[in-house]
Amino acid sequence: PATGWVSLANALDWSRPPRTMIGTGYWYMHTDQWRQDGYSADALKSPLSTGALDGMHTADALAQSARLGWMPFYPQFDRNPLDLADEAEAAVAAGTATDTPSYIADALKNRTLNPAIEDVDAPENWPRTLVLWRSNLFGSSAKGNEYFLRNLLGTHNNVLGKDHAEGLKPRDVKWHEQAPEGKLDLLVSADFRMTSTTLLSDVVFPAATWYEKHDLSSTDMHPFVHAFTPAIDPPWETKTDFDMFHLLAQEFSRQARTHLGVRRDLVSVPLQHDTPGQLAQPGGIVRDWRDTSIPAVPGQNMPIFSVVERDYTAIADKLAAVGPLADKLGFTVKNVTYKLAGPLDRLSRSNGVMLGGAADGRPAIDTDAKMAEAILAFSGTTNGALSVQGFRDLEVRTGRKLADLSEGSEEKFITFAQTQAGPVPVITSPEWSGSETGGRRYAPFTINVERLKPWHTLTGRMHFFLDHDWMIDIGEALPIYRPPLDMHRLFGEPKLGQDGQLEVVVRYLTPHSKWSIHSEYQDNLLMLSLSRGGPTVWMSPADAESIQVKDNDWVECLNINGVLVARAIVSHRMPAGVVYVHHAQERTIDVPKSEATGRRGGIHNSVTRLLVKPSHLIGAYAQLAYAFNYLGPTGNQRDMVATVRRRSQEVQY
Ligand SMILES: Nc1nc2c(c(=O)[nH]1)N[C@H]1C(S)=C(S)[C@@H](COP(=O)(O)OP(=O)(O)OC[C@H]3O[C@@H](n4cnc5c(=O)[nH]c(N)nc54)[C@H](O)[C@@H]3O)O[C@H]1N2
Ligand SMILES: Nc1nc2c(c(=O)[nH]1)N[C@H]1C(S)=C(S)[C@@H](COP(=O)(O)OP(=O)(O)OC[C@H]3O[C@@H](n4cnc5c(=O)[nH]c(N)nc54)[C@H](O)[C@@H]3O)O[C@H]1N2
Ligand SMILES: [Mo]
């Protein structure tokens, strides 16, 4: 039910635009992994390049992407965006600026205001607090784990390389001789397991499990909605995530009466997919206004600058109710706007309305079950009337017959109670591209292929030719094969193959484990007894023999990013030259000290690092445009190499 959760999660019923960010870009910069990248963004360039990426570090590519309105970046400016909004509005009132966006654009152009990313290591630009829930960031997800430990947390780490000061410094992003360590002041996490992340957290909120709360589960890839229904109440001090966030919001709102009150916030919005912004930079031509005579125009070659009023005292009230923008503007997904008068009316009756406060009279979503009801009410996949309305709108715009895909389900309205009785099949909806009509199984793009609904591309067709300046520069205007990166030439990692008597250099892959879902389910006694009971690395008999390793021996895998101590599983299922360290093994179980650093270490992600591909940062160009949860850089780390060493079989903890 995409429309409901995306819109409510971003509070689009109360204020727009929301602040969203690309995770990979955020961590690449804020954990200083960029400082390890001793290569330039043009290292992969084609002979036909026009030079758009010349002399740029990947950090510069990110900075350019943000300033041209392609991808978001936070923090936005070297100044508090609340103060900045006041400053801009004061200038407009005094008649020294025409409007806020042009005030900001001028200040950026003449450098009286600077993007935070251009001096990301300055203390005023550090992330200071981090709240994690449903994420094991410092174990499962964080590629470049040791940089997170060193630069973000400032704690024990196993980074083995040196910053690449010599190789190449960025052009636009400021280089500090000494990288900051310990940027974060407060790490809060919520989980029901002791994980690699909770181990490092300042505060851990004990979370309720799926047997102790109401929730929904659904993805685009399976055609059912499932309910979570509590079998028992959350035990002892545990709380559902829902209650936890409400309690935090209530306390925050209480303190906001003295600390923040009502403020206006300047939000830079990238030029997004399925909005006019995606056609703002025709031809995919990079027209950078920084240090050039090209004018800086918000919404054209810059983000859109919006001012959002935030009543910080009302956060808790608003969290507990559906806000008025749902009635006024509806919710929009993939450029189809769903009109919500009907579902809002129904919701007011089923959920009741809030009394008093900022949300007086608004439909209540103050319990997890009511929130689930709202999510179901606001999506075409679970509310047939919305699906039909969405398809009819699309029919007018595309000239194609579409509404029959959901006609007949106008009165189908999946309630939370129905999902609790059993998994409920969803209704075909324009929110997705597949069709479940007539009991079909979902496959993506069915509607585009069979009904000729235009693809959301520049041409409206399946689109392979990308004439964006950066794509031409890296020689990928048409799809091509690219071999793995040469980690030796780019980063000085050892060459693949034998590297000494008891060392072999191999490709280091971390595929998803068959025996767990990320870090979950592998840390129970049953699974640990069935496996080796701790970290393992799968290797081929040939590689094992070359370093005199027998099955179950302790080895170390290391490279500039860090080190992992693990037992070798020697298997004919592995090809020579590649090792597997399954994602995601925890630092909480059987992690000895390493010989390489003398420190306890590390985990599968200690040996990985984010490698950002500049072309993933392109935006404002049709299908290459930012969209929340859809388009942004991936944290690909598949090209890593590591030295595998036989080590002393006496391990210490
Ligand atoms: N090297 C490497 N890194 C990777 C990958 C890789 O293949 N290799 N894969 C990447 C991919 S595709 C993904 S999806 C990420 C996954 O990364 P994460 O999502 O960070 O991984 P999980 O281990 O699933 O962490 C989820 C945590 O949420 C907790 N949890 C579960 N349900 C609830 C709940 O209801 N409430 C709360 N509060 N907590 C809950 C679980 O106990 C668990 O600790 O990792 C990414 N990182
Ligand atoms: N049991 C279990 N199932 C899961 C998950 C889990 O944790 N456990 N996680 C779920 C999630 S969130 C995700 S994202 C998916 C991920 O599922 P998949 O996308 O299947 O991910 P992986 O297993 O990480 O990688 C697949 C294969 O890619 C290979 N590979 C590595 N580099 C390259 C390369 O350069 N080229 C090619 N062609 N292949 C390469 C690896 O050797 C591996 O065999 O799985 C989902 N399903
Ligand atoms: Mo994933």
Side-chain angles (χ1 to χ4, degrees), residues 74-137:
Y74 285 90
Q76 307 168 92
F77 310 104
D78 59 3
R79 223 169 301 160
N80 184 328
L82 304 178
D83 297 340
L84 198 56
D86 291 347
E87 185 186 308
E89 288 176 348
V92 176
T96 53
T98 44
D99 52 32
T100 293
S102 62
Y103 176 85
I104 301 297
D106 290 348
L108 285 166
K109 175 83 184 172
N110 62 34
R111 300 275 183 92
T112 49
L113 174 70
N114 291 300
I117 189 173
E118 291 185 8
D119 191 4
V120 73
D121 281 342
E124 63 271 22
N125 296 330
W126 299 355
R128 299 294 183 155
T129 62
L130 176 60
V131 180
L132 297 168
W133 68 294
R134 280 191 176 200
S135 156
N136 187 355
L137 180 68

Side-chain angles (χ1 to χ4, degrees), residues 251-272:
E251 180 55 22
F252 178 88
S253 301
R254 192 187 67 77
Q255 294 192 24
R257 278 185 238 140
T258 14
H259 292 293
L260 277 162
V262 182
R263 296 292 307 266
R264 294 168 68 73
D265 182 19
L266 192 87
V267 184
S268 313
V269 192
L271 305 168
Q272 294 183 81

